[in-house]
Amino acid sequence: MKKNKIFVTSLLVGLLVISAACGNSSEKTTDQDQPEVNKESSDSSLSSEISTAITNPIASENSDVNVDNDDSKNLLSQYSSEQIEYARVWLQLGPNQEIDELNVRKISAGEPINPDDETSANYPEDVIQLAGSRLVDGSVTYSGNGDGTINVYNVPLRWDGNYPAGEEFYNDIIENTKQVYIETGNDDKIIALIKLQIVHQ
């Protein structure tokens, strides 16, 4: 009789252990299945966002603005860095912006500042002289520094005065160049000035 009770008790304990193990297994299975549920929820959320973006006119508008900005950056890509530089310098420093043409003259180091004066000092570096087609348009004579700045020489397009002026007069011009930072300027105005450029060798 005692043996039967012990057997029945052992059997009940075994069943309880098996039941508990199955319960844990069920919980683990539920936990493993959970990421799938989250994945489906995430996919559903993504689909909703895509649908909203397609039907939202503001999103499309912002996209167009970004494209326009990229196009703006590429407007000057068809022109050389020299052409862009000449136009930017004139746009910022040119005395007259209403010009018919923008003449570009390259002057080598060693050439006289004033060719009409035998006492003239020579340019110590290569310079660029920009000028319109008329005296009233004025001129800009400068050298580039390669860092966005230029050295501006205070020389006129046409020399008026009493000559010979003496070498000291011209040395003062060389020693008192003004360093100027050149802004990028408006692309449309830059392109308009590029189209007016005539380079004289």
Side-chain angles (χ1 to χ4, degrees):
M1 187 70 178
K2 288 182 180 179
K3 288 182 179 180
N4 288 339
K5 286 183 179 179
I6 293 171
F7 176 77
V8 171
T9 303
S10 298
L11 184 60
L12 289 173
V13 170
L15 289 173
L16 288 172
V17 170
I18 292 170
S19 176
C22 287
N24 290 339
S25 175
S26 176
E27 288 175 6
K28 288 179 181 178
T29 301
T30 302
D31 290 341
Q32 289 173 353
D33 291 341
Q34 188 65 31
E36 292 298 323
V37 173
N38 290 340
K39 182 179 178 182
E40 289 176 7
S41 175
S42 175
D43 290 346
S44 176
S45 175
L46 180 60
S47 297
S48 176
E49 289 175 9
I50 292 172
S51 177
T52 301
I54 291 172
T55 58
N56 189 347
I58 295 178
S60 298
E61 199 171 305
N62 289 339
S63 177
D64 290 340
V65 170
N66 291 334
V67 170
D68 289 342
N69 287 340
D70 290 339
D71 288 344
S72 178
K73 292 177 183 178
N74 294 325
L75 282 176
L76 301 177
S77 62
Q78 59 184 308
Y79 303 106
S80 70
S81 58
E82 289 83 5
Q83 289 175 306
I84 296 170
E85 175 186 295
Y86 305 150
R88 284 176 173 167
V89 170
W90 188 264
L91 183 63
Q92 184 170 331
L93 301 176
N96 182 21
Q97 295 298 311
E98 301 298 323
I99 56 175
D100 299 324
E101 59 188 43
L102 179 58
N103 293 284
V104 181
R105 182 176 168 228
K106 299 179 180 181
I107 303 173
S108 300
E111 290 192 35
I113 295 175
N114 182 357
D116 297 326
D117 186 350
E118 60 184 12
T119 65
S120 173
N122 299 326
Y123 284 106
E125 57 186 341
D126 294 343
V127 298
I128 302 293
Q129 186 179 71
L130 306 176
S133 58
R134 304 165 298 175
L135 285 175
V136 70
D137 294 332
S139 65
V140 179
T141 303
Y142 73 94
S143 65
N145 295 318
D147 60 357
T149 67
I150 62 172
N151 301 320
V152 180
Y153 288 77
N154 185 24
V155 297
L157 183 60
R158 185 176 71 184
W159 295 88
D160 293 322
N162 297 320
Y163 301 106
E167 193 171 347
E168 184 178 350
F169 170 78
Y170 296 103
N171 284 334
D172 285 342
I173 292 175
I174 294 172
E175 293 170 5
N176 291 292
T177 58
K178 182 180 179 183
Q179 188 176 81
V180 178
Y181 177 79
I182 298 301
E183 304 290 341
T184 55
N186 177 276
D187 286 352
D188 291 333
K189 291 181 179 180
I190 295 299
I191 293 171
L193 285 168
I194 288 175
K195 291 178 179 178
L196 296 177
Q197 290 177 12
I198 301 174
V199 179
H200 302 271
Q201 299 299 336

